[in-house]
Amino acid sequence: MTHSRLLVNLAFLSQKPTGLSNYALNLFPHLWALDPLILCPEFAPLQTDPKRSSRTQFTSPQLSPDQGLKGHLRRLLWTQFRLPHFYRQHQSPLLFCPIPEAPLGQGCSTVVMVHDFIPLRFSNPRSFLSLYFKFYLPWILKQSRHILCNSQSTAADIQHFCGIADRHITVIPLAYNTDRYYPQNLPHQNYFLYIGRPDPHKNLRRVLEAFVQIAPQTDAELWIGGSADPRYTPALQSVVAAHDLRDRVKFLGYIPDQDLPLLLNQSLALIFPSLWEGFGLPVLEAMACGTPVITSNQSALPEVAGEAALLVDPYKVGSIAEAMEAIVNEPGLRQALRQRGLVQAQQFSWQKTGAKTIEVLSRFL
């Protein structure tokens, strides 16, 4: 029997990290100060040393989001029936889940992190995630000792959708990797960069329609980074083909983290007018590179961007197109956004995120 430790559940990590995995991978080094036990898949790039090897136990890679819906369902069952076993075996005083997954009715003292309520804001009755957020998540949050979230916008959603009192919620903004995202002072290329999934709430169709509007007046290109989805990508590609823009709109597929800073640094601007985000890491990472940003005036995105980005109405194609035209035609605006973005990005750091997380977790250990 090991001595009692904070238990941190990272079984959800992906081999192709996106927002949730990147959050966890950047946060976890700061948690070593609490002497935790980490549960994670063997492929996880956790930079442990021999002294910390006893603090890590491996979970099945079959629980990963890389396995699709089957992975989520396996992880749901593992969380409910196997995770409590680890909790009791190690006499843990607290279980920290960096995503909103935790055992129900098993007597585990938990703190969870909530990133967004997009599955409820853009609900699909046939979607596993919508059902999970509607029926399962409120139970998890109501039994948790405390709830972390990444923005005031998400905190408001927790109160609205789950009826959780404000005193049980702490807002801890995310951050960016300063070793990776910084100005490289490279020559700019003539393309807008979009980063993210092609899900409808990401608003990529309106981005394409806005690009169609400005295409006759500029020779700029639009590069789209993110894994293809057979439900949505073919329809988006059809829009491009219908307007004969296949030579100017590039679907790049999944972009590894190590390749993203170069693409950001050389782009005209990041275009990210999502209908809703719990935080919006691409906006912060772009500003840290000195890249101008066009983003939405909705949800948490104004919290992240401050006055350092062009905020548009994401429901109006004309608003998006107008901002894109301004980026193309006004070098002075691009330079001003670059400088304001660098200043804004300095307000966020993983050191701050880690310190605030440790402060909250320590209250319940």
Side-chain angles (χ1 to χ4, degrees):
M1 184 77 67
T2 60
H3 71 279
S4 61
R5 287 173 170 167
L6 169 69
L7 189 62
V8 180
N9 177 22
L10 301 182
F12 63 91
L13 291 180
S14 169
Q15 289 183 284
K16 290 185 175 181
T18 52
L20 298 183
S21 288
N22 283 329
Y23 159 71
L25 291 171
N26 281 286
L27 175 68
F28 100 89
H30 301 278
L31 301 183
W32 286 126
L34 296 177
D35 190 30
L37 175 68
I38 307 290
L39 301 176
C40 66
E42 194 166 7
F43 60 72
L46 305 184
Q47 303 302 317
T48 58
D49 58 40
K51 293 180 181 178
R52 293 172 173 168
S53 61
S54 62
R55 303 190 195 181
T56 305
Q57 291 198 13
F58 295 124
T59 58
S60 169
Q62 299 301 309
L63 307 179
S64 165
D66 300 325
Q67 304 296 316
L69 179 58
K70 289 182 179 179
H72 288 293
L73 291 173
R74 289 191 201 103
R75 195 172 65 254
L76 182 61
L77 292 171
W78 177 89
T79 299
Q80 186 62 29
F81 298 108
R82 286 292 297 157
L83 184 54
H85 168 75
F86 285 105
Y87 181 87
R88 289 188 286 268
Q89 176 188 6
H90 296 281
Q91 298 182 334
S92 296
L94 185 68
L95 168 64
F96 174 46
C97 300
I99 61 174
E101 295 181 354
L104 282 174
Q106 298 282 351
C108 301
S109 176
T110 60
V111 172
V112 300
M113 175 73 169
V114 179
H115 296 268
D116 62 63
F117 274 80
I118 288 168
L120 291 186
R121 285 199 163 272
F122 302 90
S123 181
N124 178 352
R126 294 175 295 179
S127 162
F128 166 75
L129 273 179
S130 292
L131 294 172
Y132 179 89
F133 270 69
K134 184 175 182 179
F135 297 108
Y136 201 78
L137 181 58
W139 291 5
I140 291 174
L141 299 190
K142 287 174 182 177
Q143 75 165 21
S144 296
R145 298 286 301 280
H146 201 71
I147 301 161
L148 308 181
C149 65
N150 50 14
S151 65
Q152 294 294 340
S153 175
T154 300
D157 275 355
I158 293 171
Q159 296 172 59
H160 172 72
F161 286 110
C162 299
I164 305 293
D166 183 65
R167 67 181 180 276
H168 296 304
I169 304 168
T170 298
V171 175
I172 305 180
L174 309 188
Y176 65 97
N177 186 338
T178 56
D179 293 333
R180 181 168 287 163
Y181 296 99
Y182 57 87
Q184 297 183 19
N185 299 314
L186 298 170
H188 288 105
Q189 297 188 33
N190 199 25
Y191 63 87
F192 290 94
L193 182 64
Y194 167 88
I195 302 165
R197 301 187 308 274
D199 301 53
H201 79 272
K202 292 290 188 177
N203 212 25
L204 185 50
R205 188 178 184 96
R206 288 191 181 92
V207 171
L208 288 171
E209 291 171 356
F211 185 72
V212 168
Q213 284 192 15
I214 72 165
Q217 289 81 45
T218 176
D219 60 354
E221 297 180 353
L222 174 62
W223 294 11
I224 297 168
S227 298
D229 188 318
R231 297 171 297 174
Y232 311 121
T233 304
L236 297 170
Q237 291 171 331
S238 295
V239 173
V240 175
H243 292 88
D244 197 24
L245 290 171
R246 282 172 290 194
D247 60 333
R248 294 176 59 186
V249 178
K250 299 181 180 180
F251 288 84
L252 306 178
Y254 174 76
I255 301 173
D257 279 356
Q258 62 268 23
D259 297 336
L260 189 52
L262 177 64
L263 287 168
L264 283 169
N265 267 273
Q266 293 191 302
S267 66
L268 281 169
L270 173 77
I271 180 156
F272 196 76
S274 178
L275 300 180
W276 205 267
E277 294 291 324
F279 186 78
L281 268 178
V283 169
L284 179 56
E285 291 165 349
M287 292 190 302
C289 291
T291 302
V293 172
I294 299 170
T295 193
S296 167
N297 61 8
Q298 304 283 321
S299 65
L301 292 165
E303 295 181 48
V304 178
E307 297 181 357
L310 294 182
L311 300 182
V312 301
D313 183 336
Y315 291 94
K316 294 182 178 178
V317 172
S319 179
I320 301 170
E322 183 179 342
M324 296 175 79
E325 280 189 324
I327 289 291
V328 169
N329 297 324
E330 301 178 34
L333 174 63
R334 295 199 300 271
Q335 182 60 24
L337 291 172
R338 170 185 169 84
Q339 295 301 325
R340 294 205 294 264
L342 290 170
V343 172
Q344 177 72 3
Q346 290 176 6
Q347 298 184 38
F348 303 84
S349 75
W350 286 118
Q351 288 75 18
K352 290 181 182 178
T353 303
K356 185 65 175 177
T357 303
I358 287 175
E359 177 189 322
V360 173
L361 295 176
S362 296
R363 278 191 248 154
F364 301 99
L365 284 174

